[in-house]
Amino acid sequence: MNTRIIDLPKHEGNTVTVQGWIYNIRESKGIKFLVIRDGSEFCQAVISQQEVNEQTWKDAEQLTQESSLAVTGKVVPNHRDRFPFEIQVQNIQIYQIVKDYPITHKEHGVDFLMNHRHLWLRTPRQWAIMRVRNRIIYAIHQFFQEQGFVQMDAPIFTANACEGTSTLFETDYYGTPAYLSQSGQLYGEAMAMAMGKIYTFGPTFRAEKSQTRRHLSEFWMIEPEMAFYDLDMNMDLIESMLKYIVHAVLTNCRTELNLLQRDTSKLQKLVDESFIRMTYQEAVELLKSDKTQTLLQKDLENAQQQTQELLAEQKQLQQEHPSAKKGRKAEIDRRLQEINATLKDLEELMRNIPQWMKSAKEFELGNDFGGSDETVITRHFEVPIMVHRYPHEVKAFYMKRDPKDSRWAMGVDVLAPEGYGEIVGGGERETDEQVLIQKIQEHNLPMSAFEWYLDLRRFGSVPHSGFGLGLERLVAYVAGLHHVRETIPFARHYNRLTP
RNA sequence: UCCUCGAUAGCUCAGCUGGUUAGAGCAUCUGACUGUUAAUCAGAGGGUCGUUGGUUCGAGUCCAACUCGGGGAGCCA
């Protein structure tokens, strides 16, 4: 019976067989260290010439990166490695010897890696990300199922653009145009009126030509919708859901977060401390405040100082380079590349900050926040911020107006700290048929397409709320990633349809 | 659509104000090393510098257009 690497601790001292692939080989005279991966984990297998027969050693000499094999040997502790056990190999069985595997153990550019995404997924970092993603998905289902929500699916083909704003993918549906869904929201409301509390979990499509680290053309969204929930109940649910998910990842994905070098103290804060809740008006005040200007000024000065320090280090290393020995030379080259990359980032930051300061200072009440404004607001805090009661003009037609002040719509956006931006958007829905009809007209949407939706207000209309959670943005935040394209197995975005 | 940065070896990059035969590390191949952690050490092969045109005695380097890509704005999760 074959063993998975993750189960090796249960077999200490025993002889087992593991099937997998060679992730890396290091060797010295008469001894080979294989790093084997089988999907469940990565571990070292040691082949010593003295301890195997001639044929096994001969076979071992042919092994290359990503060759597939089964190794049989004794499980012993290994305290030097991340994974605490290794296999002392007695025998190997080769499935395939690989030639010229394209991904090496050095750094690669994003474009190259994305072109080899089908192979890139095999690396430890991607392995860790996919496991975090999996745990988040599992936690989402657990959370909602435990609370009596029913998972239901909204259609992917739709006859119209539901909110009438973003650009959608058009397809041919038996001769008439159809669009790929940009949100299951309206269907979610219908399902909530049938089942009480529901959530959808499915793909969403946006045809916007966004070329940023936060956007995908195809991404996964979770959209809960609850009958008899007001905005405050909605926010409570969002907060407890995010705490639940992050707690689940913190307790079950230690290895993965460690491998990703995620600072877990920041995630722990999200679990332990209350989220910040502020109205749009308060957020605008904060944005325009001197406090914001001071904060950004300080960020700018830090960036400038760091730049000076790096330039000094760069100069020193360049002087040392000609006289350095080979090993040291390589070290210097590595560091110089690192410095160059950081300098480019800092340069961009220093270009951006003055614009952010200007945009924050000149922000006008009534406008929607831009990406930079969101970033600036989140820089003040270390936990997620729920901004609620936005100007109704900037929100979708189905959003309920604040009964106390009709300027505002009862919407809420959750902004993640550390610059990850909006991860949740939601709100309380309009319940009045006449108000909705008026809103649909104001937005120039085709009334006929919304007849079924208006039925929900004609037959037993009740207060209800819901929200949309962007899975990839949440994964990026929890895993501490620079870009959402690493959070999904095969990313689809502008200029990327393959592999 | 706009702004901005970029394209040099299989991969990641260096190449300053234009000046002999274009550099490094990794990967590949050969050799050394019995506990390695992106192992190390010695050696070898590998490039019409994104495309087209221009300036010049001379262009990887300067100029223009184009192609492709990164990041950002808009829009959003």
Side-chain angles (χ1 to χ4, degrees), chain A residues 103-348:
Chain A
I103 300 182
T104 67
H105 290 119
K106 286 285 165 176
E107 275 180 34
H108 295 280
V110 176
D111 197 47
F112 176 84
L113 289 170
M114 284 304 285
N115 284 333
H116 295 83
R117 183 59 172 167
H118 49 296
L119 303 175
W120 189 22
L121 287 169
R122 302 178 180 193
T123 60
R125 183 181 158 82
Q126 300 305 316
W127 172 85
I129 294 169
M130 288 306 132
R131 287 178 60 96
V132 168
R133 178 186 168 100
N134 172 66
R135 199 61 190 74
I136 288 175
I137 292 170
Y138 186 39
I140 288 168
H141 283 295
Q142 275 183 312
F143 176 82
F144 286 115
Q145 294 291 335
E146 280 169 12
Q147 302 215 10
F149 282 68
V150 176
Q151 199 265 321
M152 294 178 85
D153 303 305
I156 289 171
F157 284 120
T158 55
N160 59 291
C162 114
E163 297 173 29
T165 48
S166 39
T167 327
L168 305 190
F169 288 103
E170 193 175 323
T171 65
D172 177 76
Y173 194 76
Y174 306 114
T176 55
Y179 304 90
L180 296 184
S181 172
Q182 61 145 359
S183 165
Q185 143 90 53
L186 302 185
Y187 296 97
E189 289 184 47
M191 296 188 285
M193 296 307 127
M195 315 298 285
K197 297 194 285 188
I198 67 98
Y199 67 107
T200 66
F201 198 132
T204 301
F205 307 89
R206 305 271 167 95
E208 285 139 8
K209 293 179 178 175
S210 306
Q211 187 77 329
T212 84
R213 63 187 70 173
R214 301 187 307 279
H215 288 87
L216 293 169
S217 300
E218 175 184 297
F219 62 97
W220 288 71
M221 193 151 70
I222 296 89
E223 295 182 284
E225 193 71 33
M226 302 78 66
F228 307 106
Y229 265 56
D230 64 16
L231 180 62
D232 286 330
M233 294 164 80
N234 198 15
M235 288 196 279
D236 289 344
L237 184 73
I238 293 169
E239 182 165 348
S240 58
M241 175 196 71
L242 287 173
K243 283 183 191 307
Y244 186 99
I245 295 168
V246 173
H247 181 256
V249 174
L250 279 173
T251 47
N252 295 289
C253 298
R254 281 280 156 199
T255 303
E256 292 84 348
L257 293 173
N258 212 8
L259 215 149
L260 293 165
Q261 298 183 301
R262 180 67 169 116
D263 181 353
T264 52
S265 69
K266 293 187 173 162
L267 295 176
Q268 195 61 51
K269 264 197 179 118
L270 180 148
V271 176
D272 295 338
E273 295 175 18
S274 291
F275 290 10
I276 308 287
R277 296 188 194 193
M278 60 171 75
T279 64
Y280 164 85
Q281 242 181 319
E282 289 164 343
V284 171
E285 274 166 36
L286 177 65
L287 192 62
K288 293 172 76 81
S289 70
D290 291 344
K291 208 174 146 192
T292 293
Q293 295 293 315
T294 316
L295 184 88
L296 288 174
Q297 187 61 43
K298 215 171 163 188
D299 282 348
L300 185 61
E301 282 160 18
N302 283 342
Q304 283 163 344
Q305 199 195 333
Q306 211 185 330
T307 303
Q308 289 309 312
E309 284 166 12
L310 286 174
L311 285 172
E313 188 185 346
Q314 187 183 47
K315 202 174 172 188
Q316 197 194 334
L317 288 174
Q318 278 165 350
Q319 281 169 357
E320 185 189 340
H321 194 267
S323 58
K325 284 197 170 175
K326 198 170 178 188
R328 173 68 184 150
K329 234 174 199 162
E331 207 174 294
I332 291 174
D333 284 342
R334 260 201 300 275
R335 180 63 189 149
L336 282 175
Q337 277 189 29
E338 213 175 276
I339 289 174
N340 265 334
T342 314
L343 281 174
K344 272 181 191 165
D345 282 353
L346 286 169
E347 202 179 297
E348 197 189 322

Side-chain angles (χ1 to χ4, degrees), chain A residues 467-487:
Chain A
F467 61 90
L469 167 68
L471 179 64
E472 284 75 19
R473 284 192 186 173
L474 180 63
V475 175
Y477 166 63
V478 173
L481 307 179
H482 190 65
H483 203 298
V484 288
R485 72 183 144 219
E486 278 189 82
T487 65

